[in-house]
Amino acid sequence: MMGIPVLCAVLLLFICHNQSLEVKQPVFGSKRSQEDVLVGPSSCESRTQQQVFTNPHNFSVEIRMNSVAPAVSDTYLCMAFPMPTRDAYIVDFIPHASMDTVHHMLLFGCQTPASTRSNWDCGSVPGTCEDEASILYAWARNAPPTKLPKGLSAKDLTSNKVLSLVSVLCGLMSLFSVSSDVGFKVGKDSGMSYFVLQIHYGDVSAFRDHHRDCSGLTLKMTSKPQPFIAGIYLLMSVDTIILPGKRVTNADIACEYTSYPIYPFAFRTHTHHLGKVVSGYRIRDGKWSLIGRQSPQLPQAFYPANEELNVKNGDTIAARCVFTGEGRTYKTYIGGTSEDEMCNFYIMYYMDSKHAIPYMSCIETGSKQLFRHIPAEASIPIRVSPAHMNSVVHMEHSADFQDNRSLLGTNKADQFQDKDYHLEPVLAWPQSSLQLGQVSGLALDTNSNLVIFHRGDHHWGSNSFNSQARYLERSLGPIQQSTILIVDTAKGNILQASGRNMFYLPHGITTDKENNYWVTDVALHQVLKVSSDGRDTILLALGEAFTPGSDSKHFCQPTDVAVDPKSGEIFVSDGYCNTRILRFSPKGQYLSEWGAGSSDRRRRVPFRVPHSLVFLADRQEVCVADRENGRIQCFIAETGEFVKEIKKDEFGGEVFAITYSPAGDGLLFAVNGDSPYHSAPIRGFIINYSSKDILDTFSPNKKEFKMPHDIVETRDGSIFVGDADSKTVFKFTEKLHRSVKKAGIQVQELQEMETIVQTKLRPEHNKTAAFQEKQNKAQQPPPQKEEKEEEEKKSGAKHNRGQGLLPAIITTLLLVPLLLVISLGVIICWRKNNQCEVKTDPTSVGEIFGKIRGKAVGTLNLGNFFASHKGYSRQGFDQLSTESSDQEHNDEDSSDSDNEEYSALPPPQSS
């Protein structure tokens, strides 16, 4: 009788053993060999391979760097590895890395990797994945490893299922095998085809002994379907603004959960430098249960969740990030750079495979009433020692930045597109006169002050240059006034003045990370690096003074400079005579140059006055305002490879200057100019870099733009535009505006129409409104007050209906004569020709109205007329390229500066 139970037990143990995952313990030696970071420069080879165990369902995949030796600190390297072609499940992650070598590792899953090379620099361009990247694993210095759980807890299992003898015996086998029923689904039907391993090498001093690195991961996998599938839930703030000097700012996120139960088992927090603590909770029946709480200044890997709890339909998931603005002198927004902030709380969960959702997110701002009940611990910062601060992981180029960009879509773009924010001029800036000449360039210094570059008493006119672009007014001497002014952005007070007796015709200016000025002078044909200490020391000069040329040592009226803040490389747009972008080392050594780009080489149009440059640090790109072609072109900074072109009819054929913000998908700010060939208002533009859509336009109220020559954005979101003709600097700030512009169409919200619509239509409540309504039921106003408010609403509605009736009557009376005129015209036409085609498009109606008023609605523009017909060529209409768009104005109020910069050579003929 005893033999039968023993036999059954042995049989069950044998079955369990065959279904488990075999773990092969490596033989470890030295510390570095423990992490497989081998010393020999040639002994480290790629170890990416699959190992099939005795059970055909179970295997492991090793993902390792292939013998790399990063030369620069803070290098991000990526490698792509194909996933199994069949469905597979990751059931364990085993890291192989030394904290002395590797700062952090991330494992992504995606459909198409950004590169197929053996390894590539993924810290900026081209990134990790071409499509959306899903984070599967994170490891950082001193962080505990992430362990996938065994599925439902014993309590849940015993209440819902029968605990089998096989499971018990398999649990006893855990000492020499791994059994799991939770896994990340990858492969065939997962929507992911590649693993991408990203490793951040923080300090490369560990590579002084010339060893090569093979850090990476071992993935324990099985092809056997798992009863529970792991996934990631991300809570993220998208609209937090941290005010300068404010001690505490909370970012609160909350969403009602409306799907099948999930079981959190790990969490991860992420902010940048200002974050003090991040906490995540489940709220059920008013009770807050902690999922996880951690300082984002500690290694940002996944930590075990605090309790074994589930989240089911009807619960609320909430998170809070606590920030401080102390030490900052400007507003801090959500964004991808180290100067911006992020608020991310990741939950790693598992759920039943029949209802599995691999990724969920929440970006809704939690109501103040809800967060009044948040546990006090969520607002108490976690102290972090300086030693831990040195190992903090800020992954701006990794999972957090990609998650923010995929969910956010925009940051400031949301402000301009969805929240009715609009740039409006600040009329009281500057508070006192700056006494400027022609404003040619603007920049920001490292203290966030505005730098103004102007021409004093010098002007660029038709007699300034000869046909060979040589400066003819050298006898006037250099400008005696201070051409560089440092101005505070709040009031416009001059803080410092410099640049006397140095320049003849200033043009562009920018600053580097050491606060030096990089300027261009079109009369000198030079690019100069000037100290900002007020001593006017020329630290570096590129080009030969007063000598135009087109080789690597000469410029011809260079226009602008852009600086890579990381590498210090210099990019120059050259310019009015030449049609190229040049790249130099920080010490001025010529590296390369390129011309205009195009997706179709057969239709490549050369630059026509590359006028303004901006460096996109988060993308490692350079964008140029190609002035006379009315377009913006962007290139990979290192290679000059063409990336994209933005050309809009709204530009009116000319783009004078651009600047960039990394917020959201990236924002380009641009200003156009007056063109003899196109009719478009002169104004500023806010453009979504990724979609190329114009999100908003802006212009002064009282004054008008005459020749907006340069533009710059401050860290608090203000925009400054320098106008050469009016010798003015305009300031614009973000304000809530009742007139928003979407897709280039201005929508005027009339109060009367709003009232009528609101009385007829019932507004649709989104999830946030419904959630807040449910939370506020307990605190409804007293009945008397509510009845009083209802009576006031009814009274207001009646009053507004009365106001809306009069405009309707007036409109009807005005339409009657119009209909009579149209009818009369139809009758006359029919009598003459027995037929008549009536056009009801807006153009026809506009023409009728124009005739009624006795004048045309618009004016005839010959440039537009000829350009609309095939075979039209601008040849014969083009004059020399000038700062005032190549035309002389005959307006009575035109200034002497209207005829400036008649200096560029005729544009080269395109093939």
Side-chain angles (χ1 to χ4, degrees), residues 37 65 68-79 96-108 119-124 128 137-141 196-207 213-217 268 270 273 299-300 338 389-400 566:
V37 185
M65 279 293 163
V68 299
V72 181
S73 295
D74 288 323
T75 295
Y76 289 79
L77 294 181
C78 283
M79 294 185 69
H96 304 290
S98 166
M99 62 178 292
D100 296 332
T101 306
V102 173
H103 194 261
H104 77 256
M105 293 192 301
L106 288 172
L107 183 67
F108 299 96
N119 64 76
W120 71 90
D121 182 354
C122 55
S124 52
T128 55
Y137 179 77
W139 178 92
R141 299 170 60 170
V196 176
L197 174 66
Q198 181 196 74
I199 295 186
H200 174 202
Y201 296 96
D203 183 3
V204 297
S205 60
F207 291 88
D213 185 57
C214 288
S215 299
L217 297 166
R268 176 174 174 263
H270 177 78
H273 302 287
Q300 294 177 4
S338 59
M389 288 292 289
N390 292 332
S391 64
V392 66
V393 182
H394 292 303
M395 306 179 194
E396 290 81 15
H397 302 291
S398 307
D400 307 288
K566 187 175 181 180

Side-chain angles (χ1 to χ4, degrees), residues 58-75:
N58 303 328
F59 59 96
S60 68
V61 174
E62 284 197 1
I63 301 177
R64 304 290 192 99
M65 279 293 163
N66 59 341
S67 185
V68 299
V72 181
S73 295
D74 288 323
T75 295

Side-chain angles (χ1 to χ4, degrees), residues 571 579-581 583 592-596 607 622 635-637 639-640:
F571 302 85
T579 57
R580 59 180 181 170
I581 309 297
R583 172 172 162 251
S592 61
E593 65 181 77
W594 63 83
F607 288 136
V622 172
F635 306 85
I636 296 177
T639 63

Side-chain angles (χ1 to χ4, degrees), residues 858-870:
T859 57
L860 177 63
N861 186 304
L862 291 177
N864 287 337
F865 174 79
F866 287 115
S868 63
H869 293 74
K870 292 183 179 180

Side-chain angles (χ1 to χ4, degrees), residues 5-155:
V6 172
L7 181 61
C8 290
V10 172
L11 180 61
L12 290 172
L13 288 172
F14 177 75
I15 295 172
C16 181
H17 176 71
N18 283 338
Q19 292 184 349
S20 65
L21 298 180
E22 182 179 349
V23 178
K24 296 183 178 181
Q25 299 293 342
V27 179
F28 293 139
S30 65
K31 179 177 180 180
R32 184 169 286 158
S33 64
Q34 282 187 8
E35 305 304 336
D36 291 323
V37 185
L38 304 180
V39 175
S42 60
S43 61
C44 180
E45 299 177 356
S46 176
R47 300 190 176 191
T48 304
Q49 57 183 318
Q50 294 187 3
Q51 296 177 338
V52 179
F53 297 143
T54 55
N55 187 329
H57 293 294
N58 303 328
F59 59 96
S60 68
V61 174
E62 284 197 1
I63 301 177
R64 304 290 192 99
M65 279 293 163
N66 59 341
S67 185
V68 299
V72 181
S73 295
D74 288 323
T75 295
Y76 289 79
L77 294 181
C78 283
M79 294 185 69
F81 308 91
M83 291 184 179
T85 54
R86 54 181 176 172
D87 283 339
Y89 304 84
I90 304 173
V91 295
D92 199 7
F93 302 90
I94 302 176
H96 304 290
S98 166
M99 62 178 292
D100 296 332
T101 306
V102 173
H103 194 261
H104 77 256
M105 293 192 301
L106 288 172
L107 183 67
F108 299 96
C110 62
Q111 188 66 33
T112 307
S115 177
T116 56
R117 300 198 301 266
S118 58
N119 64 76
W120 71 90
D121 182 354
C122 55
S124 52
V125 178
T128 55
C129 300
E130 290 187 2
D131 55 320
E132 183 176 351
S134 300
I135 182 173
L136 299 175
Y137 179 77
W139 178 92
R141 299 170 60 170
N142 297 328
T146 303
K147 291 292 183 181
L148 296 181
K150 296 268 297 186
L152 293 171
S153 64
K155 180 180 179 181

